[in-house]
Amino acid sequence: MKTYLLRIKPHGSFLTPWQADTIFGSLCWVMAWRQGEAILAQFLEDCKNGNPPFVLSDGFPGDRLPAPLHMPLMAPKSESLEDYQNAKRLKKVLWLTPKNFESVRNGKMEIQFQDVKAFETFTTLHSSINRITGTTGDEGSLFELEEYTLESGGSEIETISIYLKIKDGWEEKVFSLFKDLSLMGYGRKKSIGKGSFEIVGKLEPFNKFDNFNGATGFVSLSNFVPAKNDPTDGFYKTFVKYGKLGGEFTFSGNPFKKPLMMLTAGSCFYEERGIRQFYGRMVEGIAPAKAEVVHYGYAFAAPMIIGNL
């Protein structure tokens, strides 16, 4: 697999976070609509067998990357007030510049503390329409939607970066899937323009994660679900994903997937057997209404040096 970078530019706010599993599901629907269910079924079979044609990261703001979760433990250990305050600040750092990310990957602490939100969250108020009268204003019709946008406080972040590891021969196929997705929109409420985006440029070869010497572990650049034989000694956070079926499956009678515990991007683990391209697995049996549905849970792995902390 070779590593690439894809940059996309949102046209406005979006309601669905750019997480690898959701992006993957959206691309699968594009594949099904364009090439047919048989092609999608074979593609997913390869993914389930641990042989995915591509794996992808979450979508990150600009060139920033998620802070590895072991980073606060890398701070100097002393009883001085300054070191204590620096360690507390490190716990709040969510995003790193490429330079600082490489520093941490090499086991060094050269972090300039920056209060960068990168993604802003805000709530909008809406009113549901009475399907009989065609009007709003009924009691209980108001509801809120949480929306996301790129941080606009002078950071000049205009694009979202998605990293991909792609097998030879799949480059144009993957780019074409993203191109079609850009015409349809991404995530919730795309029918009213939410999740609209454009692709900036082409797939860019990206080799900064490769040829890394002395790695003792890896950091995941995507939310993921560990496989049975994946390493367990590391630093991680968990969250519960409450997924929903997309496309035509939305009208299957029960569009909800089972709650799924995942590890967050930035989780890192010691690895003594040599760093693989990816970890994690596809999760089967996730949708009660559709037995054939699987959930993407692969980790985009970037090698790194994790010291004895």
Side-chain angles (χ1 to χ4, degrees), residues 117-149:
K117 294 181 180 178
F119 291 113
E120 288 185 343
T121 305
F122 61 95
T123 301
T124 55
L125 193 63
H126 300 261
S127 180
S128 59
I129 298 175
N130 185 310
R131 300 304 176 185
I132 298 176
T133 64
T135 61
T136 62
D138 293 343
E139 183 176 354
S141 64
L142 290 177
F143 63 96
E144 294 180 342
L145 287 178
E146 187 174 56
E147 302 191 30
Y148 307 87
T149 186

Side-chain angles (χ1 to χ4, degrees), residues 234-250:
F235 310 86
Y236 55 88
K237 288 183 180 179
T238 63
F239 77 106
V240 178
K241 185 81 176 238
Y242 296 94
K244 292 182 66 177
L245 299 175
E248 292 94 285
F249 288 179
T250 304

Side-chain angles (χ1 to χ4, degrees), residues 193-211:
K194 298 298 180 182
S196 174
F197 69 94
E198 63 182 277
I199 297 175
V200 180
K202 296 284 186 179
L203 282 172
E204 304 174 21
F206 189 90
N207 60 7
K208 293 183 179 179
F209 299 146
D210 304 329
N211 302 319

Side-chain angles (χ1 to χ4, degrees), residues 60-64 116-119 150-152 154-160:
F60 303 127
D63 291 326
R64 299 188 183 277
V116 177
K117 294 181 180 178
F119 291 113
L150 288 171
E151 196 270 332
S152 58
S155 63
E156 298 182 354
I157 296 176
E158 297 182 347
T159 60
I160 292 174

